[in-house]
Amino acid sequence: MSGYDSLGGNGSGQSSTGGAVCHWLKHMKLYRVVFIVVICLLTLPFVFYNLLVHEESNVQHNDIHRTRSQLFTFEDVSPLKAADLKLRIDEMLRMKGTVSLELRDLESRRQKLQSDIGLYNQKIDELKQELARQQTELERLKISVEQAQVAQREAVLRNTPELALPRALFSDSLPADIRPIGTDQSRACKMSTCFDHSRCSLTSGFPVYLYDPDTTTVVSEGYDIDGFLKTTIKQTLGYNAHLTTDPKKACVFLVLVGEALSEHEAQKNNRYNAVQGGPVGSVATNPSSLNVTRLRMLPYWGGDGRNHVLLNFARREVGPGAGNMLQGQAMDTGRAMLVQSSFEESQFRVGFDLIAPPILGPPGGDVWQECAPMLPARRKYLLSFQGELQGQNGTTIGPRGTDDTESDTVDEFIIEYLKEMSSGRTQDYFMLQFECVPATEQRAPSGLRDWSLCGTDNSRKSVLKESTFALLLAPGGGSTSSTLLQARLYEALRAGAIPLVLGGDQVQLPYAETIDWRRVVISLPKARITELHFLLRAIPDGDLLTMRRQGRLVWERYLSSVQSTVDTIVASLRNRLGIPPKPIPSVIAHSVFNSSFVPLKSDPVIDTEPEESLGPIEPPYPSPAFRRNYTATLVQSREMWNDWADPFALYPQLPFDPVLPSDAKFIGSHMGFRPIGKGAGGTGKEFGESLGGNYPREQFTIVILTYEREQVLMDSLSRLYGLPYLHKVIVVWNSPKPPLEDLRWPDIGVPVHVVRAPRNSLNNRFLPFDAIETEAVLSVDDDAHLRHDEILFGFRVWREHRDRVVGFPGRFHAWDVNTLDSWNYNSNYSCELSMVLTGAAFIHKYYTYLYTYTLPQAIRDKVDEYMNCEDIAMNFLVSHVTRKPPVKVTSRWTFRCPGCPVSLSEDDTHFQERHKCINFFTKVFGYTPLLNTQYRADSILFKTRIPHDKQKCFKFI
C-alpha cells in the first residue's frame, strides 16, 4: 500500500513542478527573458574556446613525445662507425636480392602453372573433340555393321553358282560339204533358212574370217580386184576386233568380189577421174567379172556358201550400173549373203542381203574437215539438184523425152514442175540442174534408169554446202537401190544438206535395219511433188538443225571412210544375230613404282573438327560390269545405233541403263538397294545412314592428275581420309621423273594407285584405266580443296544425273559482241553457265572411253598443243552426246589453294588459249554443243526450318 502511494506521490510532484514553471513564465516580464538570452550568448563562446585550447595542448604534448623518440633513435645510430653502417647496408641489399630472387621464382612458378592449366584445358578440349569424333565413328561403325549384315543376307539369298558358259553349238571344225541349192531357193533365202546359226554362239564374240584377196580370187580371167580396195579392206579389217585367222572358229566368211577391173577399164577410168577430180582406179564392175565356178571352189564354201558374205564395193564416179554384180543376170550365189550398194527389187532379199554405201571416203582417220558448218539453219538454196537422167541403152531423158512409158511421163512431169517451182514467184532460191554441162560420160547399162552426177566432186560439194535440202530422185527400172543414189546420199550428208528422197517409198537406204533414217531423210512418194515446196517451208529451224546434226552423226559414224564402212557391215551382221560386240579395251594402269619398291607410308592427318556422320564405312565395292551384254543390243539397239557413241564395242556400264520403278526395291528386286530409313524416309540421321536414290549401292573413284607438286599432292590425299563411299584413288603421275623415294604417302584407308602416264599430257586425265572399277569418277586437280560433305553431295547428285557432268566450278561461253562471229571463255560470276570444270567434277567412266577412242584426234592434239582445254573438250563431248547442260552443285565458284605453287591457269595466255579452244572445237563439231543452264543443285533441306529433334541432310549445304 505504501509502495503504491509512493509511485503516486512522485507523479503528482512532477506535474506540479511543470505547472509551476509554466505559471512562472506566464508572469515573467519580457525584459527579463531578453536579459537571460543575452547572458547565454556571451557565455557559450568562452566555454567552446576553453575546450579547443585544451585539445590543442594535448596534441602538442603528443608531438613532443614523438619528436623526442626520433631523437633518441638518432642518438642510438650516431655512435655507429662507418664500417658497421656499410656492413648493415650490404646486408640489407643482400636481403633485397634474395627477396627479388624468391619473387622471380614465384612468378615463374605461377606462369608455369598457368601454362599447365592452359595445356590441360586444351587437352580437355581435344579429348572432348575426340569423344565427339569417336561417338560419330561409333555411329558410323554401327551403320556399317548393319549394312554389312544386309549385304550378307543378300549374298546368302544370291548363293547360286556362277552362270556357266553355254555349251558350244558346233564342233571346232570347218563347214561340211553339202549339196548346193538351186537359184530359186537362193533368191528366197532368209536368215532362218540359209544361215547356220550353230557356228555363231552368243558367247563366241562373232569371229569373222577374211579370204585373203591377194591369194584368193573369184573373178574371171582378165579381171582383178581393185588394188586400192584389196589393200584397204585388209588393213581396216585388221583393226577390227572380230577378225580371226582361224577358219574353224569363224562365224562368217568374208569374200571380196568387187570392184573388179579389166586392164582397159582401169586405164579409161584413170583418165576420166584425172579430169573429173575423182580418185584414180574407179569404174563400174562388169557383171561378168564374177566367176561362179571359182566361188564354189573356195576352201570353206561348204557346197552351198552358207555363212559366206560377198563384198561387192563400188567407188566414186561410177556408172549407174556399178555396184551390182547381178545386174541383168540370174547368178547363183547359193546361201551366201550379198553386200553391195545397188540392187534390183527382184534381187534384194530383205533381212538377208545388206545395202552398203560405195567406197567414197578415205581409209580412216578424222573426217571433220570434209564437213560443212551446221549453221545457219537455212542456207542460200532451199533445194538443189544436179543430175541427168540416163535411160535404157544409155539414152538421155531430158525435159522432152521420147519414151512413152509411165515412168517417163512421171519423170517428165517432175522435172517440169520442179523447174516451174524454181522459176515461180517465191522468196526462196533453188539450184536445179537437169542436164549436165558439159555432158557426162556415164552411161547406164540396158534396163536401168538412173540420175547421173554432174560436174566434179568439188563443184557439187560447193553447191550442197549452200543448200538446205538436197533432192535425191529414186532410180527407175525396178531398182530398190543404186550406187548413184547412195553417192548422192553420201555427198548430201557430208555437206550438211538434208536429203529429200522423192520416190522414197520404193528406195532402200544403207543399213536400214539399224539406222533410223526417218530422223535423217525426208522421204516422199513422187505423187507428192506438188506439196514439196509447202512441206519444205513448214519445217522449223529446230527440226532442220536436229536432222542436220543427226545426218552428220550417221555420216561420220557409218559412211565417211573405208574403216567405218567395214566396221558397220560387221556390226550389222552381228546385230542380226544378237551377239554382243567385243569389250572395249581399257588402258592398263602401270604403276610408277618398281615392283620391288614399297612406298613409305605416313599416318593420316585427321581433321581436328568433328565431322557430321556422312555415311557408313564400307569395304571396297566395285560397280558390277558387263551385266547387260545380251540385252542392251535388244532393249536399246536403236539408241546405240542412232544416239550414243557407237555400236561397235561393248562397254562395262552405260550412263543410260534403265531405272527400276520405285516399288521394285521392295518387291522382288531389292538386291543392292539401300533406301533411306529402310523405305520410310527420314531427315539427316536416316539420310546419313543410307545412300538411297534410284540405283543400287555404289562407290566412286577419285582421279588426280599431278605434275611435280609432291607436297600439294600429299596434302590433298591426306584430306581424303575417312571419306565415305570412296573406292580408291588413282594418281596420274604426269611427270617423267619418278616420285622421291623418301616421299611419305598418307594412309587414307583406301588403295592409292600411282599410275605412270605414257607422256605429259592433260588428256591423261580421262584415260579409261583398268584400275577404275566404278562407274562414278571424280576428276580433281591436285590442289583442289573440297570438304567431305561437298564431295558426297556431288556424288549423290551425280547418281541422279549419271549422263551429265556434275561438279563445282561453273563457267560459260559468251558470244563476242565485238566481232559477232566467235565465242569467248568466261569465268566471271554469272546467273547462267554452260560448263563445269573437271578440276572438281563427277563424270561417268563411259565418257573416258569416248574421249580416248571416239573424240576427234584433232581436239586431243589441240589440248596437247596448248596444254590446256581438256575440261572444255569433255564438256563439249558430253553435251554433244546427251544434248543436256552440266549440273553445278553448291555455291563454290573457285578453288584457290593458298601457298600452292603457281598452276597453269595462272599464266597470262590461259584465257586467250581457252577462247581459241572453244572456237576450234566448234569448228570440229560443226556447231557448239554447249547448252546453258540457270540453276544449281543444293540439298533438299537447305535453308529450311525444321524441328529441333530433326537434322538436316547436310549442315552446310
Side-chain angles (χ1 to χ4, degrees):
M1 191 68 179
S2 59
Y4 176 78
D5 293 339
S6 174
L7 292 171
N10 292 338
S12 61
Q14 291 177 356
S15 300
S16 60
T17 303
V21 173
C22 293
H23 178 75
W24 180 74
L25 290 173
K26 288 181 181 179
H27 294 85
M28 185 178 293
K29 299 295 183 180
L30 181 59
Y31 71 92
R32 292 179 181 177
V33 175
V34 172
F35 177 77
I36 294 172
V37 171
V38 171
I39 294 298
C40 291
L41 291 176
L42 293 174
T43 307
L44 287 174
F46 289 102
V47 175
F48 285 119
Y49 174 78
N50 291 329
L51 291 174
L52 290 175
V53 169
H54 180 71
E55 182 66 22
E56 183 178 359
S57 63
N58 290 336
V59 171
Q60 290 178 355
H61 180 73
N62 292 334
D63 290 340
I64 291 171
H65 281 282
R66 187 180 298 109
T67 303
R68 185 175 297 171
S69 63
Q70 290 178 356
L71 291 174
F72 288 158
T73 302
F74 284 123
E75 290 175 357
D76 293 339
V77 173
S78 58
L80 294 177
K81 297 180 180 179
D84 295 335
L85 183 60
K86 181 178 179 182
L87 289 175
R88 182 166 294 187
I89 293 174
D90 292 340
E91 183 178 358
M92 295 178 67
L93 290 176
R94 283 196 300 270
M95 293 173 63
K96 178 182 177 183
T98 303
V99 173
S100 298
L101 290 175
E102 291 179 355
L103 291 176
R104 291 195 190 97
D105 185 53
L106 290 175
E107 178 65 19
S108 64
R109 291 182 181 180
R110 185 184 68 81
Q111 292 179 356
K112 185 176 182 303
L113 290 175
Q114 288 181 342
S115 177
D116 292 340
I117 292 172
L119 291 176
Y120 287 131
N121 289 334
Q122 182 180 355
K123 186 170 291 187
I124 291 172
D125 294 338
E126 292 177 355
L127 290 175
K128 289 180 180 179
Q129 294 176 0
E130 182 66 21
L131 176 62
R133 186 163 43 249
Q134 292 296 337
Q135 289 176 343
T136 303
E137 193 72 14
L138 179 61
E139 293 296 326
R140 292 179 62 185
L141 288 174
K142 290 180 180 179
I143 299 171
S144 302
V145 171
E146 294 177 1
Q147 298 284 8
Q149 292 173 348
V150 174
Q152 183 183 12
R153 290 195 295 268
E154 291 178 350
V156 172
L157 294 175
R158 202 190 296 116
N159 188 21
T160 57
E162 290 293 333
L163 185 63
L165 293 177
R167 187 179 61 180
L169 298 178
F170 66 96
S171 59
D172 193 6
S173 61
L174 297 174
D177 288 336
I178 61 177
R179 188 178 62 181
I181 62 175
T183 303
D184 293 338
Q185 290 179 292
S186 177
R187 288 189 172 183
C189 270
K190 301 178 181 179
M191 292 295 292
S192 59
T193 59
C194 293
F195 190 84
D196 183 9
H197 288 79
S198 66
R199 297 194 62 86
C200 304
S201 172
L202 286 175
T203 59
S204 63
F206 193 66
V208 174
Y209 179 84
L210 173 66
Y211 287 95
D212 189 351
D214 292 328
T215 59
T216 303
T217 179
V218 294
V219 297
S220 303
E221 294 291 340
Y223 292 88
D224 193 11
I225 304 296
D226 182 9
F228 171 81
L229 280 178
K230 288 195 295 185
T231 303
T232 307
I233 296 300
K234 286 179 60 177
Q235 180 180 5
T236 52
L237 263 176
Y239 297 139
N240 194 287
H242 297 281
L243 184 66
T244 180
T245 57
D246 187 358
K248 294 181 179 180
K249 298 180 179 180
C251 171
V252 297
F253 301 84
L254 303 181
V255 186
L256 184 61
V257 300
E259 174 174 275
L261 305 176
S262 67
E263 182 178 354
H264 172 70
E265 289 172 333
Q267 292 176 355
K268 177 181 177 181
N269 184 73
N270 292 344
R271 289 195 303 269
Y272 174 78
N273 284 287
V275 175
Q276 297 296 324
V280 175
S282 301
V283 74
T285 301
N286 191 325
S288 62
S289 63
L290 181 63
N291 190 316
V292 178
T293 302
R294 290 185 175 182
L295 188 66
R296 293 176 177 175
M297 292 177 62
L298 291 173
Y300 317 118
W301 184 256
D304 59 353
R306 60 191 181 280
N307 292 35
H308 276 63
V309 180
L310 308 182
L311 304 176
N312 181 34
F313 294 111
R315 296 184 61 193
R316 182 178 294 279
E317 304 295 358
V318 293
N324 186 0
M325 66 181 180
L326 305 180
Q327 182 69 42
Q329 297 187 11
M331 190 172 295
D332 182 13
T333 57
R335 287 191 169 95
M337 288 183 279
L338 185 58
V339 177
Q340 59 184 22
S341 56
S342 182
F343 279 96
E344 295 180 9
E345 188 174 0
S346 60
Q347 297 171 342
F348 183 65
R349 297 166 291 188
V350 178
F352 191 74
D353 292 330
L354 189 64
I355 298 177
I359 300 297
L360 305 178
D366 281 358
V367 293
W368 62 270
Q369 302 94 331
E370 299 291 326
C371 299
M374 297 186 192
L375 298 170
R378 301 185 183 274
R379 298 173 174 176
K380 176 180 178 180
Y381 301 117
L382 179 64
L383 182 68
S384 68
F385 178 81
Q386 291 178 289
E388 187 175 56
L389 181 61
Q390 300 289 327
Q392 285 84 354
N393 300 320
T395 58
T396 301
I397 305 297
R400 300 181 181 272
T402 57
D403 293 339
D404 295 329
T405 63
E406 181 181 355
S407 178
D408 293 341
T409 303
V410 172
D411 289 338
E412 290 181 14
F413 175 76
I414 290 175
I415 294 173
E416 292 295 338
Y417 184 85
L418 289 173
K419 286 189 173 183
E420 180 181 355
M421 180 181 67
S422 63
S423 60
R425 295 180 179 179
T426 175
Q427 61 181 356
D428 299 316
Y429 293 96
F430 298 87
M431 175 57 183
L432 302 176
Q433 179 183 349
F434 298 103
E435 294 183 4
C436 296
V437 180
T440 178
E441 295 184 5
Q442 304 172 39
R443 293 291 181 265
S446 177
L448 182 64
R449 295 164 52 85
D450 205 352
W451 293 87
S452 63
L453 301 173
C454 291
T456 64
D457 177 65
N458 290 332
S459 64
R460 294 192 300 272
K461 184 189 296 185
S462 62
V463 173
L464 289 171
K465 285 184 176 181
E466 295 183 335
S467 304
T468 306
F469 297 94
L471 180 62
L472 280 67
L473 295 173
S479 293
T480 189
S481 177
S482 72
T483 301
L484 286 171
L485 179 72
Q486 306 298 341
R488 289 186 182 276
L489 177 67
Y490 174 94
E491 292 181 352
L493 295 178
R494 178 187 62 183
I498 300 173
L500 170 63
V501 182
L502 198 57
D505 52 342
Q506 69 185 59
V507 169
Q508 290 281 348
L509 296 178
Y511 317 123
E513 299 175 33
T514 51
I515 297 178
D516 189 358
W517 286 106
R518 294 173 300 176
R519 300 171 57 182
V520 179
V521 173
I522 298 176
S523 181
L524 293 176
K526 292 182 178 180
R528 293 192 180 276
I529 181 63
T530 57
E531 301 173 331
L532 177 62
H533 193 192
F534 169 80
L535 176 63
L536 299 185
R537 289 297 305 275
I539 301 176
D541 290 359
D543 291 334
L544 289 177
L545 292 174
T546 299
M547 295 185 71
R548 186 172 296 161
R549 174 183 173 275
Q550 188 68 20
R552 175 162 173 173
L553 181 148
V554 169
W555 181 82
E556 288 184 335
R557 192 180 294 177
Y558 307 119
L559 312 177
S560 60
S561 64
V562 181
Q563 184 73 59
S564 61
T565 301
V566 170
D567 290 343
T568 305
I569 291 173
V570 174
S572 298
L573 298 175
R574 177 185 49 74
N575 189 81
R576 282 184 182 177
L577 301 175
I579 300 176
K582 289 292 187 76
I584 191 166
S586 297
V587 176
I588 299 176
H590 296 286
S591 176
V592 74
F593 303 111
N594 297 326
S595 58
S596 60
F597 178 75
V598 179
L600 300 177
K601 295 289 185 178
S602 64
D603 294 332
V605 179
I606 302 176
D607 192 358
T608 57
E609 294 295 330
E611 284 275 0
E612 55 183 319
S613 180
L614 300 173
I617 301 174
E618 297 180 328
Y621 179 76
S623 298
F626 298 107
R627 298 292 297 271
R628 305 182 63 233
N629 298 350
Y630 305 99
T631 54
T633 55
L634 301 177
V635 178
Q636 296 173 303
S637 177
R638 284 287 176 180
E639 291 84 352
M640 291 176 64
W641 282 83
N642 298 280
D643 291 317
W644 307 337
D646 63 74
F648 305 128
L650 183 64
Y651 294 89
Q653 306 95 2
L654 291 171
F656 316 105
D657 289 343
V659 183
L660 291 174
S662 298
D663 46 1
K665 309 175 200 175
F666 312 100
I667 307 175
S669 302
H670 62 278
M671 293 296 183
F673 285 96
R674 300 293 184 268
I676 304 298
K678 298 181 180 180
T683 54
K685 181 179 181 299
E686 296 79 9
F687 180 78
E689 294 175 353
S690 302
L691 196 54
N694 302 312
Y695 292 88
R697 68 185 182 113
E698 59 184 330
Q699 297 175 346
F700 61 91
T701 302
I702 292 181
V703 177
I704 303 177
L705 185 71
T706 187
Y707 185 88
E708 296 184 359
R709 297 202 294 182
E710 288 84 353
Q711 191 54 51
V712 174
L713 174 64
M714 297 304 108
D715 294 341
S716 297
L717 290 175
S718 297
R719 289 192 292 267
L720 301 178
Y721 175 78
L723 179 61
Y725 306 115
L726 177 59
H727 183 259
K728 68 174 64 170
V729 178
I730 306 294
V731 177
V732 182
W733 194 264
N734 238 14
S735 173
K737 302 177 183 178
L740 299 176
E741 294 186 359
D742 58 350
L743 188 63
R744 306 189 70 88
W745 296 81
D747 186 0
I748 60 175
V750 298
V752 177
H753 292 264
V754 186
V755 179
R756 183 177 68 252
R759 58 190 179 90
N760 182 19
S761 171
L762 293 181
N763 293 313
N764 296 333
R765 181 192 297 273
F766 303 124
L767 289 177
F769 291 112
D770 56 356
I772 301 176
E773 300 178 288
T774 59
E775 297 185 55
V777 178
L778 174 57
S779 172
V780 295
D781 290 336
D782 56 3
D783 58 354
H785 190 173
L786 292 171
R787 302 195 313 266
H788 285 193
D789 58 341
E790 292 176 319
I791 295 176
L792 292 183
F793 178 68
F795 176 54
R796 289 178 180 269
V797 173
W798 174 87
R799 280 168 47 82
E800 300 180 22
H801 303 278
R802 309 172 75 87
D803 59 339
R804 299 159 80 171
V805 179
V806 178
F808 301 89
R811 302 292 185 265
F812 65 99
H813 64 303
W815 187 248
D816 192 335
V817 295
N818 295 321
T819 63
L820 298 179
D821 61 355
S822 62
W823 293 103
N824 287 333
Y825 172 84
N826 201 311
S827 63
N828 295 330
Y829 294 104
S830 173
C831 295
E832 193 173 62
L833 60 90
S834 59
M835 291 176 284
V836 168
L837 303 187
T838 54
F842 283 92
I843 59 174
H844 198 283
K845 186 183 178 183
Y846 171 74
Y847 293 120
T848 64
Y849 289 107
L850 299 192
Y851 188 96
T852 303
Y853 298 123
T854 304
L855 192 70
Q857 183 63 39
I859 292 181
R860 294 193 295 272
D861 291 342
K862 186 63 67 173
V863 170
D864 288 335
E865 177 185 348
Y866 288 154
M867 209 62 179
N868 198 345
C869 305
E870 84 287 355
D871 46 1
I872 300 177
M874 178 58 76
N875 278 270
F876 263 70
L877 174 64
V878 176
S879 295
H880 173 67
V881 173
T882 63
R883 301 306 299 133
K884 297 177 182 178
V887 177
K888 173 175 170 46
V889 293
T890 75
S891 60
R892 295 286 291 270
W893 195 263
T894 59
F895 293 89
R896 300 190 180 276
C897 176
C900 291
V902 177
S903 61
L904 294 175
S905 60
E906 302 292 335
D907 194 349
D908 294 337
T909 61
H910 175 74
F911 280 90
Q912 296 299 324
E913 292 172 349
R914 294 173 85 79
H915 299 332
K916 297 176 183 178
C917 283
I918 291 181
N919 291 287
F920 178 76
F921 296 167
T922 296
K923 184 178 179 181
V924 174
F925 279 93
Y927 75 115
T928 305
L930 298 177
L931 295 174
N932 295 319
T933 181
Q934 298 179 353
Y935 81 96
R936 77 171 190 232
D938 288 308
S939 179
I940 289 180
L941 296 180
F942 180 62
K943 290 188 176 181
T944 301
R945 295 183 179 274
I946 60 176
H948 296 292
D949 59 337
K950 301 294 183 180
Q951 297 178 8
K952 290 194 173 184
C953 310
F954 294 94
K955 289 184 179 179
F956 309 108
I957 298 177

